[in-house]
């Protein structure tokens, strides 16, 4: 049965009518036009759909509307702005990481939360934190460099 949900996304309140079992990803992309989170696998296996719920990375492809509750949602669009990018966004540009770009959302959202909580991480800790993400273009070496660069800035 369709229900009315109030979502707080990037500091703004939105009303969405949806099935309680519908993935949050569909509401963000199809109802609100927030297209940074991507549909990759739909099975919580790639991370392309990652958003923050109350600051914690969550895979929006398997997060149902009813599971969101009152959590504040942040998408990549809320992480940084072109005139004030997040350090991980700046590092991605400086290291020239992107290839096709499909996976970027997941890496940036996951790394941003990790670097916020973990200062001066080791390489092993970075790899562990990002181990659940996939990039079919094989940019992993560049990603690691970018996260290290951002870690220095955020340390
Ligand atoms: S689309 Fe959500 S983890 Fe792959
Ligand atoms: S840059 Fe293409 S999938 Fe990662």
């Amino acid at each position: 049965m369709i229900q009315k949900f109030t979502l707080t996304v990037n500091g703004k309140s939105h009303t969405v009518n949806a099935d309680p079992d519908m993935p949050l990803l569909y509401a963000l992309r199809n109802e609100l036009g927030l297209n940074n989170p991507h549909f990759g696998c739909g099975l919580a296996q790639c991370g392309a759909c990652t958003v923050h719920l109350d600051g914690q990375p969550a895979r929006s492809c398997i997060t149902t509307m009813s599971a969101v509750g009152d959590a504040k949602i942040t998408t990549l669009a809320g992480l940084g702005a072109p005139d004030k990018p997040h350090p991980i966004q700046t590092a991605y540009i400086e290291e020239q990481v992107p290839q096709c770009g499909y996976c970027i959302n997941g890496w940036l959202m996951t790394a941003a939360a990790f670097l916020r909580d973990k200062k001066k991480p080791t390489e092993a800790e970075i790899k562990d934190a990002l181990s659940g993400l996939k990039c079919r273009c094989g940019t992993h070496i560049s990603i690691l460099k970018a996260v290290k660069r951002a870690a220095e800035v955020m340390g």
Side-chain angles (χ1 to χ4, degrees), residues 36-49:
N36 291 129
H38 284 168
F39 184 97
C41 63
L43 298 167
Q45 298 296 308
C46 73
C49 64

Side-chain angles (χ1 to χ4, degrees), residues 76-148:
L76 186 56
L79 198 66
D83 60 339
K84 195 178 178 190
H86 186 283
I88 188 62
Q89 293 173 308
T90 301
Y92 245 64
I93 294 168
E94 289 173 341
E95 293 293 344
Q96 291 289 288
V97 177
Q99 293 292 319
C100 81
Y102 200 85
C103 68
I104 288 177
N105 173 76
W107 295 95
L108 294 184
M109 295 305 287
T110 306
F114 170 66
L115 294 176
R116 178 198 63 212
D117 296 338
K118 181 72 183 176
K119 301 303 176 195
K120 303 189 187 311
T122 64
E123 183 170 316
E125 288 170 333
I126 295 171
K127 286 181 176 175
D128 184 57
L130 303 178
S131 62
L133 297 158
K134 305 284 187 300
C135 173
R136 290 173 63 112
C137 296
T139 62
H140 302 82
I141 301 294
S142 300
I143 291 169
L144 186 58
K145 286 183 187 171
V147 176
K148 284 180 177 174

